[in-house]
Amino acid sequence: MKTALPPALAVLAVSLVAGATIAPPAAASPPAAPRTTTTTAPGEGLRQVLLVGNNWEGTADVLESSGTLRKIGRINVVPDKDERMLEIYLNPVKLAYFLAIRLSVGEGHDQLVDDMYSTPDGSAVVVSRPSFADVVSIDVATGRLNWRFPVSGFRSDHMAVSPDGRRVAVSASTSNTVHVLDIGTGRQTGSFKTGDKPHENVFTANGKQIWNSAIGDVNTMLDDPSLDWTKGDRKLTVVDADTYKTVKVIDMRERLDAFGRKDLSDAVRPVAFTPDESRLYFQVSFFNGFLEYDVAADRILRQKVLPKNPATSENRATWVNDSRHHGISMSPEGDKLCVAGTMDDYATVVDRETLQEGPLVTASKPYWATVSGDGKSCVVSESGADAVTAIDFATGRKVTSVPVGDHPQRVRLGHVPSGWTGPAANR
């Protein structure tokens, strides 16, 4: 739900978060000699896990990647919180953005972790922290920072890791930029410009392209369909992952209009490619469902409208950051989709061929959907219940739920050293 701002901050929230007009500072350089992680052969001495980012708490819970999803340990992703807060309080512009993020997109809370991935050797977790406008690497053995990269502008958001695990792309949402960093050192290898408010990032399976979706200004109260044009420049930007040069720009407004859905928003939210990357399934703002896009033909083929929860308000301004449904993943075989029906309080598995949904599994504000380590289940984060829930792809039925921290959002597969139970600082 969008939280109304006090009058003194209302203008700041709209102008700073929803459509920045103040020129953001350039990204600061990482430390001159960041500590690098040790190298280990892929899989050697490592354990696959699920990383769950507890956005409002500033922690990441580490769970077994399959089965019962038993909790293994927890990482404090803001060990430098006091230092960051002092830095913010001493800078009026940073403070204005920090408070605007808290009172708008943060629903009254600080956004302390958005996305996270482990390094290839499992020695560190790399985390984007929206309220601190940065990306950090945290040593999983000690809980200390390896490096920190301040993004351009005033807020970091979704990330993506390259197939070889060596680079991470992060959206800097107030500067319309994606930074690509060396995951071991935090050094920037390149960057590229996007539409307004870059959000989701995806590397193609061969590592040759990065797809970014810009969602526009989702924090304004101008949510009536007739005012959709006020939401900004929303588009998919596809770049070469080596040169960071734009390969193509896809305007979904044109494709949606051609498909006969001029009423839908063109703000692309979470996406899922088929294994051969011939089809892209994507969610858009305000829509209870998803669309199927033919990549080669460059056109929308089908839509799936999912059930509405009768208890969900039809007042679009009450929906979290314009997203009625937010979270979609695909089974490894490419035959099933899993959808998080965020504002409708359910998740469901959909057959990709027929687009028939399975049982509606009750879930409290599910915010993300990923795939378990064994590929058998979809795992959704229940941000309203502080839990993650696994749903069997084959049956569409709930397998298990486990409690996690405050307001879980992103859930990612990663690795930690075998026998790891948490940083030394937690013991």
Side-chain angles (χ1 to χ4, degrees):
M1 181 181 297
K2 293 171 183 174
T3 304
L5 298 179
L9 287 174
V11 174
L12 282 176
V14 173
S15 65
L16 299 185
V17 174
T21 56
I22 298 175
S29 298
R35 184 167 66 84
T36 59
T37 56
T38 58
T39 58
T40 306
E44 180 184 337
L46 297 181
R47 178 182 191 177
Q48 187 183 61
V49 295
L50 280 171
L51 303 170
V52 182
N54 303 312
N55 190 15
W56 295 350
E57 186 174 273
T59 61
D61 281 315
V62 182
L63 312 179
E64 291 182 337
S65 65
S66 306
T68 63
L69 308 186
R70 181 180 64 86
K71 183 176 176 180
I72 298 168
R74 170 172 284 190
I75 301 170
N76 173 17
V77 302
V78 288
D80 57 335
K81 184 175 181 179
D82 290 345
E83 182 181 353
R84 298 281 77 79
M85 292 305 301
L86 178 61
E87 186 179 81
I88 289 167
Y89 287 138
L90 293 176
N91 185 314
V93 176
K94 286 186 177 181
L95 179 60
Y97 272 92
F98 179 83
L99 293 175
I101 290 168
R102 174 189 291 173
L103 294 168
S104 57
V105 64
E107 303 176 71
H109 301 266
D110 298 332
Q111 292 197 307
L112 300 176
V113 48
D114 186 278
D115 218 338
M116 75 243 95
Y117 289 95
S118 60
T119 55
D121 64 5
S123 67
V125 172
V126 174
V127 182
S128 62
R129 308 186 300 182
S131 288
F132 292 163
D134 64 11
V135 181
V136 295
S137 171
I138 300 173
D139 188 299
V140 301
T142 67
R144 297 173 182 168
L145 294 190
N146 293 322
W147 53 257
R148 175 176 181 258
F149 181 89
V151 302
S152 57
F154 300 94
R155 186 177 180 274
S156 56
D157 200 30
H158 286 224
M159 299 198 298
V161 71
S162 59
D164 63 7
R166 298 183 181 279
R167 290 178 297 163
V168 63
V170 58
S171 289
S173 56
T174 68
S175 68
N176 298 350
T177 301
V178 171
H179 301 283
V180 185
L181 312 177
D182 181 291
I183 203 168
T185 67
R187 298 288 187 186
Q188 179 171 273
T189 64
S191 66
F192 59 93
K193 302 302 289 186
T194 67
D196 291 334
K197 302 300 184 299
H199 191 58
E200 181 80 327
N201 292 296
V202 178
F203 276 88
T204 53
N206 60 13
K208 292 184 177 180
Q209 292 182 343
I210 305 171
W211 287 54
N212 173 268
S213 59
I215 59 172
D217 299 330
V218 300
N219 308 120
T220 73
M221 301 299 287
L222 305 178
D223 294 335
D224 186 271
S226 66
L227 298 174
D228 188 66
W229 61 273
T230 67
K231 295 288 187 176
D233 180 18
R234 296 159 294 183
K235 58 190 178 186
L236 288 172
T237 302
V238 183
V239 303
D240 184 291
D242 292 323
T243 65
Y244 307 114
K245 301 296 184 183
T246 300
V247 175
K248 59 183 173 181
V249 174
I250 302 170
D251 182 355
M252 279 300 176
R253 175 75 279 137
E254 297 172 2
R255 281 73 175 169
L256 286 164
D257 291 353
F259 182 68
R261 292 304 306 261
K262 294 183 179 181
D263 59 313
L264 288 183
S265 168
D266 59 348
V268 175
R269 312 305 289 258
V271 304
F273 277 105
T274 53
D276 65 1
E277 297 181 335
S278 65
R279 299 286 188 273
L280 179 73
Y281 295 84
F282 66 95
Q283 297 166 309
V284 296
S285 290
F286 304 115
F287 183 46
N288 52 297
F290 58 87
L291 299 115
E292 178 187 62
Y293 172 75
D294 186 311
V295 176
D298 189 21
R299 66 188 182 94
I300 295 172
L301 300 178
R302 296 187 292 172
Q303 66 175 341
K304 173 59 179 177
V305 180
L306 284 164
K308 293 182 177 181
N309 184 338
T312 299
S313 170
E314 288 300 318
N315 178 2
R316 289 155 61 115
T318 66
W319 300 349
V320 177
N321 301 324
D322 292 358
S323 54
R324 182 152 193 168
H325 287 187
H326 188 283
I328 187 168
S329 63
M330 184 172 294
S331 63
E333 297 78 17
D335 60 339
K336 300 288 180 64
L337 289 155
C338 178
V339 181
T342 310
M343 300 311 302
D344 289 308
D345 287 334
Y346 69 76
T348 189
V349 172
V350 179
D351 183 272
R352 191 169 74 84
E353 182 179 355
T354 65
L355 295 188
Q356 178 60 49
E357 74 271 14
L360 303 185
V361 178
T362 300
S364 181
K365 202 172 78 169
Y367 220 103
W368 195 249
T370 193
V371 179
S372 62
D374 61 9
K376 295 180 179 179
S377 300
C378 163
V379 180
V380 298
S381 58
E382 294 195 52
S383 62
D386 297 342
V388 294
T389 293
I391 301 169
D392 186 85
F393 273 120
T395 66
R397 301 290 181 183
K398 179 177 175 178
V399 176
T400 189
S401 287
V402 296
V404 292
D406 193 7
H407 205 266
Q409 288 190 202
R410 225 67 58 228
V411 182
R412 301 289 193 186
L413 282 172
H415 293 87
V416 295
S418 298
W420 180 91
T421 57
N426 293 355
R427 298 172 196 159

XYZ file of all heavy atoms in Angstrom, residues 84-156:
571
model
N 26.708 4.374 7.773
C 25.870 4.839 6.665
C 24.857 5.890 7.146
O 24.609 6.881 6.458
C 25.124 3.661 6.039
C 26.024 2.587 5.435
C 26.564 2.964 4.057
N 27.645 3.913 4.096
C 28.916 3.616 4.371
N 29.268 2.387 4.701
N 29.844 4.562 4.346
N 24.266 5.677 8.312
C 23.279 6.624 8.809
C 23.915 7.974 9.120
O 23.332 9.028 8.845
C 22.591 6.059 10.054
C 21.700 4.840 9.772
S 20.438 5.140 8.508
C 19.525 6.490 9.243
N 25.105 7.981 9.694
C 25.796 9.240 9.955
C 26.058 9.972 8.652
O 25.846 11.195 8.558
C 27.114 8.969 10.681
C 27.975 10.204 10.990
C 27.224 11.177 11.894
C 29.304 9.779 11.633
N 26.476 9.246 7.648
C 26.730 9.820 6.324
C 25.468 10.457 5.758
O 25.496 11.546 5.177
C 27.228 8.690 5.417
C 27.690 9.074 4.053
C 28.161 7.831 3.302
O 27.302 7.093 2.760
O 29.373 7.579 3.281
N 24.331 9.795 5.931
C 23.054 10.301 5.424
C 22.612 11.539 6.203
O 22.191 12.551 5.615
C 21.988 9.195 5.491
C 22.276 8.125 4.427
C 20.578 9.762 5.320
C 21.484 6.851 4.609
N 22.711 11.498 7.526
C 22.261 12.624 8.339
C 23.083 13.892 8.087
O 22.582 15.009 8.285
C 22.325 12.267 9.823
C 21.246 11.313 10.270
C 21.529 10.263 11.142
C 19.925 11.442 9.828
C 20.545 9.381 11.559
C 18.941 10.568 10.232
C 19.252 9.540 11.095
O 18.272 8.670 11.500
N 24.311 13.727 7.652
C 25.167 14.885 7.397
C 25.011 15.466 5.996
O 25.639 16.466 5.673
C 26.642 14.502 7.625
C 27.028 14.170 9.071
C 28.482 13.723 9.144
C 26.784 15.369 9.986
N 24.169 14.832 5.164
C 23.970 15.288 3.789
C 22.478 15.531 3.564
O 21.706 14.586 3.459
C 24.501 14.241 2.807
C 24.446 14.699 1.365
O 23.447 15.237 0.918
N 25.530 14.471 0.630
N 22.029 16.797 3.486
C 20.596 17.083 3.387
C 19.918 16.434 2.178
O 18.762 16.002 2.274
C 20.550 18.612 3.292
C 21.828 19.073 3.917
C 22.842 18.037 3.587
N 20.613 16.365 1.038
C 20.006 15.767 -0.153
C 19.840 14.257 0.043
O 18.774 13.696 -0.247
C 20.849 16.067 -1.406
C 20.265 15.353 -2.626
C 20.905 17.567 -1.666
N 20.888 13.609 0.556
C 20.781 12.173 0.834
C 19.685 11.890 1.859
O 18.942 10.909 1.734
C 22.116 11.626 1.341
C 23.180 11.468 0.273
C 24.417 10.794 0.849
C 25.465 10.555 -0.234
N 26.678 9.867 0.301
N 19.589 12.748 2.858
C 18.570 12.557 3.884
C 17.171 12.682 3.295
O 16.264 11.910 3.638
C 18.761 13.566 5.020
C 17.742 13.488 6.163
C 17.770 12.120 6.832
C 18.008 14.593 7.195
N 16.979 13.646 2.395
C 15.669 13.826 1.769
C 15.268 12.577 0.983
O 14.128 12.102 1.072
C 15.690 15.048 0.859
N 16.189 12.032 0.213
C 15.900 10.812 -0.537
C 15.659 9.630 0.402
O 14.757 8.814 0.188
C 17.052 10.487 -1.490
C 16.929 11.151 -2.840
C 17.506 12.396 -3.085
C 16.230 10.529 -3.873
C 17.395 13.002 -4.320
C 16.115 11.130 -5.111
C 16.701 12.372 -5.337
O 16.589 12.971 -6.560
N 16.467 9.513 1.430
C 16.344 8.421 2.390
C 14.949 8.417 3.022
O 14.291 7.378 3.110
C 17.420 8.574 3.464
C 17.383 7.524 4.545
C 17.988 6.291 4.361
C 16.739 7.782 5.751
C 17.952 5.326 5.363
C 16.705 6.823 6.751
C 17.305 5.584 6.555
N 14.487 9.589 3.447
C 13.164 9.685 4.072
C 12.055 9.461 3.056
O 11.031 8.835 3.369
C 13.006 11.048 4.742
C 13.919 11.296 5.946
C 13.744 12.728 6.452
C 13.649 10.298 7.060
N 12.254 9.945 1.824
C 11.246 9.739 0.788
C 11.107 8.264 0.443
O 10.001 7.757 0.242
C 11.609 10.541 -0.460
N 12.225 7.544 0.391
C 12.184 6.100 0.139
C 11.449 5.395 1.275
O 10.603 4.523 1.055
C 13.617 5.548 -0.020
C 14.233 6.040 -1.332
C 13.619 4.022 0.028
C 15.710 5.790 -1.450
N 11.761 5.767 2.508
C 11.114 5.148 3.669
C 9.604 5.337 3.627
O 8.832 4.406 3.880
C 11.671 5.741 4.958
C 10.955 5.268 6.217
C 11.401 6.043 7.433
N 12.780 5.739 7.807
C 13.446 6.390 8.760
N 12.859 7.405 9.407
N 14.688 6.041 9.068
N 9.161 6.539 3.305
C 7.742 6.875 3.421
C 6.921 6.568 2.172
O 5.700 6.653 2.200
C 7.603 8.352 3.781
C 8.141 8.718 5.174
C 8.230 10.228 5.344
C 7.273 8.112 6.257
N 7.588 6.180 1.085
C 6.833 5.857 -0.131
C 7.059 4.404 -0.517
O 6.319 3.520 -0.079
C 7.229 6.811 -1.264
O 8.630 6.769 -1.509
N 8.093 4.119 -1.278
C 8.332 2.754 -1.744
C 8.575 1.798 -0.585
O 8.260 0.606 -0.668
C 9.512 2.734 -2.745
C 10.803 3.156 -2.110
C 9.664 1.364 -3.382
N 9.105 2.280 0.541
C 9.354 1.425 1.696
C 8.158 1.207 2.588
O 8.279 0.502 3.606
N 7.020 1.793 2.256
C 5.788 1.618 3.039
C 5.992 1.946 4.512
O 5.459 1.292 5.415
C 5.252 0.184 2.898
C 4.972 -0.247 1.472
C 4.551 -1.701 1.407
O 3.419 -2.012 1.848
O 5.352 -2.528 0.941
N 6.819 2.969 4.779
C 7.074 3.380 6.150
C 8.286 2.719 6.776
O 8.543 2.922 7.967
N 9.030 1.945 6.000
C 10.201 1.223 6.503
C 11.414 1.538 5.631
O 11.292 1.871 4.457
C 9.952 -0.289 6.480
C 8.773 -0.723 7.283
N 8.866 -1.151 8.585
C 7.454 -0.797 6.952
C 7.664 -1.468 9.035
N 6.788 -1.266 8.063
N 12.601 1.393 6.202
C 13.821 1.504 5.408
C 13.977 0.232 4.589
O 13.677 -0.871 5.049
C 15.043 1.697 6.309
C 14.965 2.983 7.112
O 14.312 3.934 6.640
O 15.532 3.023 8.217
N 14.479 0.384 3.357
C 14.724 -0.757 2.471
C 16.199 -1.119 2.575
O 17.049 -0.498 1.949
C 14.352 -0.399 1.036
C 12.853 -0.202 0.844
C 12.477 -0.250 -0.625
O 13.044 0.461 -1.441
N 11.531 -1.095 -0.965
N 16.479 -2.142 3.345
C 17.863 -2.460 3.699
C 18.468 -3.588 2.875
O 19.692 -3.760 2.873
C 17.946 -2.793 5.191
C 17.490 -1.650 6.115
C 17.514 -2.096 7.565
C 18.351 -0.409 5.922
N 17.644 -4.362 2.211
C 18.162 -5.360 1.274
C 17.115 -5.594 0.193
O 15.952 -5.861 0.497
C 18.528 -6.687 1.972
C 17.428 -7.165 2.902
C 18.829 -7.773 0.956
N 17.544 -5.440 -1.049
C 16.640 -5.759 -2.148
C 17.013 -7.087 -2.788
O 16.236 -8.011 -2.841
C 16.644 -4.656 -3.215
C 15.591 -4.923 -4.280
O 15.882 -5.713 -5.203
O 14.471 -4.382 -4.189
N 18.261 -7.186 -3.262
C 18.656 -8.373 -4.011
C 19.986 -8.896 -3.494
O 20.756 -8.149 -2.871
C 18.771 -8.034 -5.495
C 18.277 -9.158 -6.385
O 18.238 -10.315 -5.923
O 17.933 -8.882 -7.554
N 20.290 -10.175 -3.776
C 21.559 -10.724 -3.294
C 21.942 -11.965 -4.079
O 21.085 -12.730 -4.513
C 21.499 -11.030 -1.796
C 20.733 -12.251 -1.394
S 19.303 -11.942 -0.370
C 18.051 -11.880 -1.640
N 23.263 -12.131 -4.265
C 23.832 -13.315 -4.911
C 25.106 -13.697 -4.168
O 25.782 -12.843 -3.598
C 24.186 -13.035 -6.375
C 23.000 -12.878 -7.281
C 22.477 -11.619 -7.577
C 22.386 -13.993 -7.852
C 21.391 -11.470 -8.416
C 21.292 -13.848 -8.695
C 20.798 -12.588 -8.981
O 19.715 -12.452 -9.807
N 25.466 -14.973 -4.233
C 26.741 -15.397 -3.669
C 27.817 -15.340 -4.748
O 27.524 -15.400 -5.947
C 26.641 -16.821 -3.108
O 26.293 -17.750 -4.123
N 29.072 -15.218 -4.311
C 30.196 -15.276 -5.234
C 30.402 -16.723 -5.675
O 29.934 -17.646 -5.004
C 31.470 -14.743 -4.574
O 31.697 -15.475 -3.347
C 31.354 -13.261 -4.261
N 31.093 -16.947 -6.796
C 31.268 -18.326 -7.276
C 31.917 -19.258 -6.262
O 31.610 -20.455 -6.234
C 32.156 -18.147 -8.513
C 31.865 -16.771 -8.992
C 31.633 -15.960 -7.746
N 32.803 -18.723 -5.422
C 33.476 -19.578 -4.443
C 32.721 -19.688 -3.122
O 33.161 -20.356 -2.187
C 34.905 -19.103 -4.187
C 34.970 -17.714 -3.557
O 33.900 -17.156 -3.221
O 36.085 -17.187 -3.413
N 31.546 -19.042 -3.039
C 30.719 -19.148 -1.847
C 31.236 -18.424 -0.628
O 30.673 -18.549 0.459
N 32.291 -17.612 -0.788
C 32.889 -16.948 0.374
C 32.205 -15.642 0.740
O 32.435 -15.114 1.828
C 34.372 -16.669 0.115
O 34.522 -15.704 -0.914
N 31.362 -15.118 -0.150
C 30.743 -13.820 0.114
C 29.355 -13.767 -0.496
O 29.029 -14.501 -1.444
C 31.611 -12.691 -0.434
N 28.541 -12.875 0.049
C 27.229 -12.563 -0.501
C 27.238 -11.099 -0.917
O 27.672 -10.235 -0.143
C 26.115 -12.824 0.534
C 24.775 -12.316 0.021
C 26.011 -14.306 0.852
N 26.791 -10.834 -2.141
C 26.752 -9.474 -2.671
C 25.313 -8.997 -2.630
O 24.402 -9.678 -3.120
C 27.321 -9.432 -4.102
C 27.159 -8.052 -4.716
C 28.798 -9.837 -4.084
N 25.081 -7.823 -2.036
C 23.739 -7.356 -1.693
C 23.518 -5.927 -2.185
O 24.380 -5.055 -1.996
C 23.539 -7.384 -0.158
C 22.129 -6.941 0.211
C 23.829 -8.766 0.398
N 22.355 -5.675 -2.804
C 21.954 -4.293 -3.100
C 21.095 -3.786 -1.949
O 20.200 -4.491 -1.474
C 21.197 -4.204 -4.429
O 19.999 -4.952 -4.402
N 21.384 -2.540 -1.511
C 20.699 -1.962 -0.347
C 20.068 -0.632 -0.767
O 20.726 0.409 -0.801
C 21.693 -1.776 0.802
C 22.472 -3.053 1.121
C 23.345 -2.931 2.347
N 24.362 -1.881 2.259
C 25.264 -1.631 3.203
N 25.262 -2.360 4.309
N 26.156 -0.674 3.050
N 18.767 -0.634 -1.104
C 18.125 0.551 -1.672
C 18.272 1.816 -0.845
O 18.628 2.878 -1.378
C 16.657 0.129 -1.787
C 16.714 -1.357 -1.918
C 17.854 -1.792 -1.048
N 17.986 1.759 0.455
C 18.028 2.976 1.272
C 19.433 3.543 1.415
O 19.601 4.736 1.672
C 17.431 2.709 2.657
O 16.025 2.554 2.574
N 20.441 2.698 1.258
C 21.829 3.151 1.348
C 22.443 3.393 -0.026
O 23.619 3.758 -0.125
C 22.674 2.135 2.118
C 22.337 2.041 3.574
C 22.742 0.943 4.327
C 21.594 3.030 4.214
C 22.428 0.845 5.678
C 21.269 2.941 5.563
C 21.685 1.844 6.293
N 21.651 3.171 -1.085
C 22.076 3.467 -2.466
C 23.417 2.824 -2.800
O 24.312 3.464 -3.344
C 22.149 4.978 -2.685
N 23.541 1.538 -2.480
C 24.829 0.901 -2.730
C 24.687 -0.590 -2.981
O 23.589 -1.166 -2.923
C 25.790 1.159 -1.562
C 25.351 0.552 -0.222
O 24.397 -0.257 -0.210
O 25.955 0.895 0.825
N 25.835 -1.199 -3.292
C 25.990 -2.648 -3.365
C 27.184 -2.988 -2.496
O 28.216 -2.297 -2.563
C 26.237 -3.126 -4.804
C 26.358 -4.653 -4.850
C 25.128 -2.667 -5.734
N 27.062 -4.034 -1.674
C 28.174 -4.423 -0.814
C 28.442 -5.914 -0.943
O 27.554 -6.695 -1.291
C 27.917 -4.085 0.676
C 27.832 -2.587 0.883
C 26.656 -4.780 1.188
N 29.672 -6.291 -0.648
C 30.059 -7.691 -0.545
C 30.337 -7.988 0.917
O 31.103 -7.276 1.576
C 31.307 -7.969 -1.380
O 31.812 -9.271 -1.124
N 29.701 -9.040 1.440
C 29.831 -9.404 2.849
C 30.466 -10.782 2.956
O 29.979 -11.757 2.361
C 28.461 -9.388 3.545
C 27.845 -7.988 3.460
C 28.581 -9.832 5.003
C 26.433 -7.910 3.956
N 31.553 -10.870 3.699
C 32.242 -12.134 3.935
C 31.351 -13.029 4.799
O 30.973 -12.643 5.909
C 33.577 -11.857 4.627
C 34.448 -13.094 4.749
O 34.021 -14.060 5.404
O 35.569 -13.079 4.207
N 31.015 -14.218 4.309
C 30.079 -15.061 5.049
C 30.726 -15.693 6.275
O 30.017 -16.151 7.183
C 29.465 -16.158 4.146
C 28.720 -15.543 2.977
C 30.512 -17.151 3.669
N 32.051 -15.721 6.321
C 32.735 -16.302 7.486
C 32.807 -15.322 8.643
O 32.602 -15.694 9.801
C 34.141 -16.760 7.101
N 33.055 -14.041 8.333
C 33.242 -13.042 9.390
C 32.074 -12.092 9.552
O 31.925 -11.456 10.595
C 34.504 -12.208 9.105
O 34.283 -11.420 7.921
C 35.722 -13.096 8.919
N 31.254 -11.917 8.508
C 30.169 -10.942 8.539
C 30.624 -9.531 8.229
O 29.832 -8.591 8.324
N 31.889 -9.364 7.833
C 32.429 -8.035 7.555
C 32.341 -7.700 6.061
O 32.258 -8.593 5.214
C 33.887 -7.958 8.001
C 34.077 -8.151 9.503
C 35.547 -8.241 9.854
N 35.754 -8.463 11.286
C 36.912 -8.796 11.824
N 37.989 -8.943 11.040
N 37.009 -8.980 13.128
N 32.403 -6.386 5.764
C 32.368 -5.942 4.376
C 33.700 -6.226 3.689
O 34.768 -5.951 4.233
C 32.083 -4.444 4.286
C 30.717 -3.920 4.743
C 30.565 -2.453 4.339
C 29.582 -4.742 4.169
N 33.600 -6.762 2.463
C 34.771 -6.881 1.597
C 34.951 -5.605 0.772
O 36.057 -5.095 0.628
C 34.617 -8.054 0.634
C 34.631 -9.394 1.331
O 35.372 -9.595 2.281
N 33.815 -10.323 0.853
N 33.835 -5.126 0.209
C 33.866 -3.895 -0.577
C 32.475 -3.275 -0.606
O 31.488 -3.934 -0.280
C 34.393 -4.123 -1.996
C 33.722 -5.197 -2.816
C 34.198 -6.460 -3.072
C 32.454 -5.111 -3.518
N 33.319 -7.157 -3.863
C 32.247 -6.355 -4.164
C 31.487 -4.114 -3.666
C 31.109 -6.619 -4.938
C 30.349 -4.371 -4.427
C 30.180 -5.608 -5.047
N 32.452 -2.013 -0.992
C 31.197 -1.279 -1.122
C 31.234 -0.438 -2.386
O 32.235 0.244 -2.646
C 30.963 -0.370 0.092
C 29.720 0.517 -0.030
C 29.463 1.328 1.229
N 28.263 2.143 1.084
C 28.244 3.447 0.824
N 29.403 4.117 0.713
N 27.115 4.095 0.677
N 30.153 -0.471 -3.178
C 30.041 0.341 -4.386
C 28.804 1.229 -4.272
O 27.673 0.744 -4.342
C 29.925 -0.534 -5.635
C 29.838 0.255 -6.922
C 30.988 0.613 -7.603
C 28.610 0.640 -7.441
C 30.918 1.344 -8.785
C 28.519 1.379 -8.611
C 29.682 1.731 -9.283
N 28.968 2.547 -4.084
C 27.811 3.449 -4.110
C 27.332 3.618 -5.556
O 28.136 3.950 -6.441
C 28.374 4.772 -3.571
C 29.691 4.427 -2.940
C 30.206 3.274 -3.724
N 26.063 3.387 -5.813
C 25.536 3.550 -7.164
C 25.332 5.028 -7.464
O 25.302 5.867 -6.556
C 24.207 2.787 -7.352
C 24.385 1.305 -7.067
C 23.083 3.374 -6.487
N 25.192 5.358 -8.742
C 24.847 6.738 -9.104
C 23.415 7.008 -8.663
O 22.559 6.122 -8.660
C 25.001 6.939 -10.612
O 24.201 6.019 -11.332
N 23.153 8.222 -8.257
C 21.821 8.550 -7.766
C 21.653 8.166 -6.307
O 22.612 8.141 -5.537
N 20.425 7.803 -5.938
C 20.101 7.683 -4.522
C 19.368 6.392 -4.134
O 18.867 6.287 -3.027
C 19.254 8.889 -4.104
C 19.953 10.201 -4.315
C 19.765 10.924 -5.482
C 20.838 10.700 -3.366
C 20.421 12.131 -5.685
C 21.505 11.900 -3.560
C 21.299 12.616 -4.726
N 19.334 5.413 -5.053
C 18.657 4.156 -4.693
C 19.137 3.031 -5.599
O 19.158 3.177 -6.825
C 17.135 4.291 -4.811
C 16.367 3.077 -4.325
C 14.850 3.293 -4.389
N 14.145 2.121 -3.912
C 13.837 1.070 -4.680
N 14.146 1.067 -5.966
N 13.211 0.030 -4.162
N 19.511 1.890 -4.990
C 19.835 0.684 -5.747
C 18.640 -0.263 -5.710
O 17.802 -0.194 -4.808
C 21.076 0.010 -5.160
O 20.898 -0.264 -3.776
